[in-house]
Amino acid sequence: MPPPTAALSVPSSSSPSLFPLSSFSSSNNPHVSSFCPAPTTLPKFPSLSKPKTPLRNLTPLSAVSIEKETLISERPHTFLRDADGGDDGSVRSRFQRMILEAQESVCSALEAVDGAGKFKEDAWTRPGGGGGISRVLQDGAVFEKAGVNISIVYGVMPPEAYRAAKAAADDQKPGPIPFFAAGISSVLHPKNPFAPTLHFNYRYFETDAPKDAPGAPRQWWFGGGTDLTPAYIFEEDVKHFHSIQKKACDKFDPSFYPRFKKWCDDYFYIKHRGERRGLGGIFFDDLNDYDQEMLLSFATECANSVVPAYIPIIEKRKDTPFNESQKAWQQLRRGRYVEFNLVYDRGTTFGLKTGGRIESILVSLPLSARWEYDHKPEEGSEEWKLLDACINPKEWI
């Protein structure tokens, strides 16, 4: 949730408007923390003006306040500053282009499969720099709620946020640290209990060097993942989903899928329940031990795999007949989704504690959920099989 929770205020909310603070977990401790869309031609909106307040004069964020986002009437062509080179072919500009195109592609596919619902779009900016585009489809024919949000933001990160980002005690500056962050994050909640919820989130992060040493390098890393949260298991669906994730990973490194699959199972763990939120997928964070160009291509491949991994499942299950008992079970599993996001997802909890935009932070939550006292599914039932798979993660392919 989820986490990706889903894109960043400072340093992030896990809502789909910014990327989750789960990106600040250590890569060494995951407990802490055939389709390719054609390039989208984006409308040429006027560029944002430079921030009125120079970066050096921004008030450091000590512990509580986050700069409030401001809604704007039309989205800009770019959220990058002139100092960043605009669309100059840098990793920053290409990642921005990738997430804008992914948002267009995913939203178009979701509207097509829903048939009735349309996405509402809100564009916003931050006083410190950057902004984002939030898109939400609600009460559609297929989707109860679907959010697909992006953000491209920069500013200064307080020391406590940097400690969350990079836990090494000897790798810290005493004061605020300039940062850049860009991400796409989405949570999709269908109405039909036989159609699974999906979460995905991909992000890129940069900070200045951790120490004021001459020639010290800028730090950067990638994070993200895509995971499936069904209420009922259809093995062919889960195998299809995981096979698409593996295919994306195998194009770059055969060790990626088993490594990131386990990381996903470990991360989306509801400790007080002793079970996972869903049936996993892939998840990675703080990834910077490979060539930067390779990781940019990998993140792009993963984002482009969302539609072929998910839409065929939705098309197959969206009209399956169901009864009240099956709907109630879906609502109970959504309760687990809510518990993970509000209790464990670091992006969500950070955003709530620091005054981030509440609509962005909580857009990942379903419209409805359910909690029953001491509910236990009958052993051997379809509901029990799902719960067992959440308690004991399986190898699906």
Side-chain angles (χ1 to χ4, degrees), residues 9-10 59-68 158 350 353-356:
S9 276
V10 172
T59 303
L61 297 173
S62 57
V64 276
S65 74
I66 285 181
E67 296 166 313
K68 295 297 183 182
F350 184 90
K353 290 176 181 178
T354 52

Side-chain angles (χ1 to χ4, degrees), residues 207-331:
T207 68
D208 277 5
K211 295 180 180 179
D212 293 314
R218 180 185 297 271
Q219 293 196 323
W220 57 266
W221 59 93
F222 291 84
T226 306
D227 64 284
L228 197 70
T229 306
Y232 289 92
I233 296 178
F234 295 93
E235 286 208 15
E236 65 268 32
D237 294 354
V238 186
K239 288 180 178 179
H240 167 79
F241 174 80
H242 277 267
S243 69
I244 297 295
Q245 307 312 304
K246 184 177 187 300
K247 181 179 179 180
C249 290
D250 286 352
K251 287 185 178 181
F252 297 88
D253 191 316
S255 73
F256 277 5
Y257 174 74
R259 175 184 170 192
F260 299 155
K261 192 267 185 189
K262 183 180 186 304
W263 200 338
C264 187
D265 289 336
D266 290 340
Y267 180 75
F268 294 103
Y269 181 65
I270 309 171
K271 299 179 182 68
H272 62 270
R273 296 285 189 181
E275 63 191 66
R276 276 78 188 166
R277 191 178 71 179
L279 301 185
I282 58 171
F283 180 86
F284 57 90
D285 237 334
D286 290 347
L287 206 60
N288 63 3
D289 51 350
Y290 297 83
D291 178 75
Q292 193 176 33
E293 290 292 330
M294 186 270 259
L295 291 179
L296 175 60
S297 296
F298 175 57
T300 301
E301 184 72 25
C302 289
N304 288 345
S305 75
V306 168
V307 168
Y310 186 59
I311 295 299
I313 298 174
I314 291 297
E315 289 177 333
K316 189 186 299 184
R317 307 299 172 192
K318 64 185 177 67
D319 298 318
T320 303
F322 61 88
N323 57 37
E324 290 184 6
S325 174
Q326 291 160 338
K327 184 64 179 180
W329 173 248
Q330 179 198 42
Q331 300 294 87

Side-chain angles (χ1 to χ4, degrees), residues 24-45:
F24 303 130
S25 60
S26 167
S27 59
N28 295 321
N29 186 3
H31 289 284
V32 178
S33 71
S34 65
F35 170 91
C36 184
T40 304
T41 301
L42 296 170
K44 298 290 185 180
F45 293 110

Side-chain angles (χ1 to χ4, degrees), residues 193-213:
F194 296 114
T197 286
L198 182 86
H199 161 258
F200 74 90
N201 174 284
Y202 293 99
R203 52 197 177 269
Y204 174 68
F205 198 95
E206 287 183 4
T207 68
D208 277 5
K211 295 180 180 179
D212 293 314

Side-chain angles (χ1 to χ4, degrees), residues 87-273:
D87 296 322
D88 62 352
S90 66
V91 172
R92 289 186 178 191
S93 66
R94 283 183 289 153
F95 194 89
Q96 175 185 243
R97 172 63 56 174
M98 184 274 280
I99 61 178
L100 284 166
E101 292 176 357
Q103 186 184 46
E104 292 281 346
S105 172
V106 171
C107 289
S108 294
L110 295 175
E111 285 187 348
V113 77
D114 189 276
K118 298 294 180 182
F119 279 91
K120 173 188 176 182
E121 175 175 299
D122 288 327
W124 50 270
T125 62
R126 294 173 64 250
I133 300 169
S134 300
R135 289 184 177 178
V136 179
L137 185 159
Q138 192 163 282
D139 282 326
V142 173
F143 293 100
E144 181 181 282
K145 190 177 183 185
V148 187
N149 299 348
I150 64 162
S151 66
I152 301 96
V153 299
Y154 34 86
V156 290
M157 190 192 321
E160 57 269 28
Y162 185 76
R163 284 192 291 272
K166 306 298 280 184
D170 61 347
D171 191 24
Q172 297 173 5
K173 280 184 177 180
I177 301 158
F179 75 92
F180 169 85
I184 181 169
S185 190
S186 174
V187 179
L188 314 174
H189 293 292
K191 292 182 173 180
N192 195 302
F194 296 114
T197 286
L198 182 86
H199 161 258
F200 74 90
N201 174 284
Y202 293 99
R203 52 197 177 269
Y204 174 68
F205 198 95
E206 287 183 4
T207 68
D208 277 5
K211 295 180 180 179
D212 293 314
R218 180 185 297 271
Q219 293 196 323
W220 57 266
W221 59 93
F222 291 84
T226 306
D227 64 284
L228 197 70
T229 306
Y232 289 92
I233 296 178
F234 295 93
E235 286 208 15
E236 65 268 32
D237 294 354
V238 186
K239 288 180 178 179
H240 167 79
F241 174 80
H242 277 267
S243 69
I244 297 295
Q245 307 312 304
K246 184 177 187 300
K247 181 179 179 180
C249 290
D250 286 352
K251 287 185 178 181
F252 297 88
D253 191 316
S255 73
F256 277 5
Y257 174 74
R259 175 184 170 192
F260 299 155
K261 192 267 185 189
K262 183 180 186 304
W263 200 338
C264 187
D265 289 336
D266 290 340
Y267 180 75
F268 294 103
Y269 181 65
I270 309 171
K271 299 179 182 68
H272 62 270
R273 296 285 189 181

